[in-house]
Amino acid sequence: RQPLSPCVAGERLCSTEEATAGSGTYTRHGFIFSSLAGCLKRKNEDSELPVVSVVRDSESQLLPKVGAVVTCKVCSINSRFAKVHILYVGSTPLKSTFRGTIRREDIRATEKDKVEVYKSFRPSDIVLAKVISLGDAQSNYLLSTAENELGVVVARSEAGVQMVPISWCEMQCPRTHTKEFRKVARVQPQFLQT
Amino acid sequence: AAPQGRLLCGPGLRRSGAGLLVTKCGLLRHRPGGGGAYWVDSQQKRYVPVKGDHVIGIVTAKAGDVFRLDVGGSEPASLSYLAFEGATKRNRPNVQVGDIIYGQFVVANKDMEPEMVCIDSSGKSSGMGIIGQDGFLFKVSLGLIRKLLAPNCEIIQELSQLYPFELVLGMNGRIWVKAKTVQQTLIIVNILEACEYMTAQQRKQALAKLSGN
């Protein structure tokens, strides 16, 4: 590879006869232009034309969109809502975690007023949730678990052992055999790994 | 192994696999009735909020519709101003910062802030609410409170023959006493604090000496 040289968005890099467009570039009128402000990277391939791409120092952060399923970890609970850290968007991990809130009325789809947050989530549970709003001024995403496939996937009991789900609302510890209440997610069989 | 019925595993014990693990230090007690119950009797001064416990709290702050109370746990408890007998949005209870309140927990677990109320499930106060002026509030260990709350407690019966007094016991280790004069109040406070380490014999001697004076 050749040394990196800086370029700005809109800069014309070369013609399409000399190279192929890679990431961070686009082609117009037979020329390759940069679409990002960053460093030009030229990769020489043996059989085909070299690939020209523009990279930034830090990769662009993947932002959760409305309707995306995210994996998050519960950090604190309250009688009105649960605060979570968003760790994964879909299946890509995030470099810095975002904060989210699951309100009490968004935990379940049915019997919303009888929900107790303490019987649905506990701190340090891993939860699958869906983004319903990009949030308020405190940049807290609003999340919801009001579906069968959403809810707690991994939880530890008070003894510290990972619990096994036994129904949609209970999980059991394999060592102490105590049952604890959680809003359990019904994970599709193709996503389970044994 | 118990012959019939279920073995009850009480405080201080935890089931682990096929056996029981002891999680607190103390004396192992056994109750043989109905399958048996085992628990560990331990000395403790630090209170952990438990749902249903009646405790004495001190009001530390008023935040909107809710009072913050210090109950001796890791977090201050919250008490809504509507949780008093006969309280409505117009008729607020007269609670100031620094008041002493006797109430019970409705929500108490290790993950959330505990919540207290001063009414029972039917809406009556049944002795709970703001504790009046005067009197003396002090702290003892939790084991002594459990001993004093046992039915037909000897200590309370002997003390009531000495002077008449009012007594409120909180499960968080706090006791409030009020007698007719300040001197009588202080005498009762000193006896209750010393009861932790006195034998029954020593206590009867001390009370005999006091009633003789």
Side-chain angles (χ1 to χ4, degrees):
Chain A
R1 286 190 209 155
Q2 293 174 0
L4 307 172
S5 59
C7 58
V8 294
E11 192 176 316
R12 193 175 70 184
L13 303 174
C14 60
S15 86
T16 45
E17 291 159 22
E18 297 169 6
T20 18
S23 71
T25 61
Y26 63 96
T27 49
R28 277 277 189 282
H29 311 302
F31 288 99
I32 301 178
F33 293 87
S34 159
S35 66
L36 295 177
C39 289
L40 176 67
K41 202 165 81 172
R42 193 183 286 261
K43 202 156 78 173
N44 283 325
E45 308 230 338
D46 299 322
S47 55
E48 300 164 348
L49 289 172
V51 176
V52 157
S53 56
V54 180
V55 291
R56 290 177 68 98
D57 291 331
S58 55
E59 286 168 27
S60 58
Q61 181 84 283
L62 182 64
L63 289 179
K65 291 189 289 209
V66 174
V69 173
V70 295
T71 308
C72 35
K73 183 171 193 164
V74 180
C75 55
S76 71
I77 58 173
N78 199 320
S79 52
R80 288 188 309 260
F81 48 79
K83 294 262 190 218
V84 302
H85 281 298
I86 300 179
L87 306 171
Y88 286 72
V89 174
S91 45
T92 37
L94 293 176
K95 277 203 214 83
S96 61
T97 60
F98 292 113
R99 304 199 109 240
T101 306
I102 307 180
R103 289 179 307 182
R104 191 178 134 206
E105 54 267 21
D106 297 328
I107 294 179
R108 264 173 37 186
T110 55
E111 288 187 335
K112 287 184 191 186
D113 39 346
K114 287 199 197 142
V115 169
E116 271 185 68
V117 181
Y118 189 63
K119 290 193 175 161
S120 314
F121 303 127
R122 297 275 174 99
S124 89
D125 284 353
I126 307 289
V127 172
L128 274 176
K130 187 179 273 198
V131 179
I132 49 178
S133 156
L134 295 179
D136 51 353
Q138 278 93 32
S139 70
N140 273 328
Y141 283 88
L142 263 185
L143 308 170
S144 158
T145 55
E147 276 172 38
N148 286 343
E149 286 80 30
L150 303 174
V152 175
V153 277
V154 173
R156 288 190 173 262
S157 77
E158 314 228 327
V161 183
Q162 192 164 323
M163 292 199 286
V164 173
I166 48 181
S167 78
W168 69 273
C169 59
E170 276 188 322
M171 290 181 115
Q172 193 173 29
C173 169
R175 194 185 293 170
T176 60
H177 299 270
T178 44
K179 292 187 191 171
E180 290 183 28
F181 289 106
R182 297 287 200 278
K183 199 270 173 190
V184 187
R186 192 180 61 191
V187 183
Q188 307 290 337
Q190 67 252 28
F191 295 123
L192 284 175
Q193 212 180 15
T194 44
Chain B
Q4 258 181 6
R6 284 172 156 196
L7 189 67
L8 192 64
C9 174
L13 293 173
R14 181 193 282 177
R15 184 174 166 186
S16 164
L20 285 180
L21 265 185
V22 177
T23 52
K24 275 202 178 153
C25 57
L27 294 171
L28 184 68
R29 303 264 189 220
H30 171 59
R31 192 185 66 205
Y38 284 94
W39 72 95
V40 177
D41 221 353
S42 54
Q43 308 270 31
Q44 195 172 318
K45 279 187 162 188
R46 163 68 70 179
Y47 178 65
V48 172
V50 171
K51 182 175 168 175
D53 266 2
H54 292 257
V55 294
I56 296 179
I58 304 174
V59 181
T60 54
K62 277 200 246 189
D65 294 340
V66 149
F67 303 114
R68 293 248 171 274
L69 292 159
D70 166 42
V71 290
S74 55
E75 278 183 313
S78 68
L79 171 63
S80 162
Y81 75 96
L82 290 170
F84 289 86
E85 182 173 12
T88 59
K89 288 199 180 147
R90 302 260 179 100
N91 182 18
R92 286 175 172 245
N94 186 15
V95 174
Q96 307 303 325
V97 172
D99 278 354
I100 309 175
I101 297 200
Y102 183 63
Q104 66 175 349
F105 285 118
V106 286
V107 170
N109 48 62
K110 63 182 171 71
D111 299 317
M112 297 206 295
E113 172 192 68
E115 285 174 30
M116 273 178 65
V117 288
C118 286
I119 50 172
D120 59 11
S121 46
S122 60
K124 299 268 167 63
S125 68
S126 62
M128 296 188 273
I130 310 171
I131 295 178
Q133 297 290 321
D134 307 333
F136 193 93
L137 178 74
F138 61 104
K139 194 170 174 342
V140 292
S141 77
L142 308 185
L144 179 63
I145 299 279
R146 284 199 296 266
K147 207 178 352 173
L148 291 171
L149 280 173
N152 302 326
C153 174
E154 284 183 347
I155 307 175
I156 308 248
Q157 284 172 349
E158 286 170 19
L159 274 176
S160 56
Q161 283 163 4
L162 195 61
Y163 313 118
F165 61 95
E166 278 180 66
L167 179 71
V168 179
L169 297 168
M171 293 290 294
N172 52 345
R174 293 186 182 161
I175 304 183
W176 180 84
V177 179
K178 181 174 163 183
K180 278 209 198 112
T181 67
V182 175
Q183 197 183 24
Q184 289 180 357
T185 309
L186 290 174
I187 291 173
I188 296 174
V189 166
N190 284 328
I191 294 182
L192 282 172
E193 276 179 336
C195 269
E196 178 125 36
Y197 301 111
M198 281 203 293
T199 62
Q201 183 69 16
Q202 288 170 330
R203 193 179 63 234
K204 288 186 184 18
Q205 280 176 353
L207 286 170
K209 214 172 11 166
L210 278 167
S211 54
N213 284 354

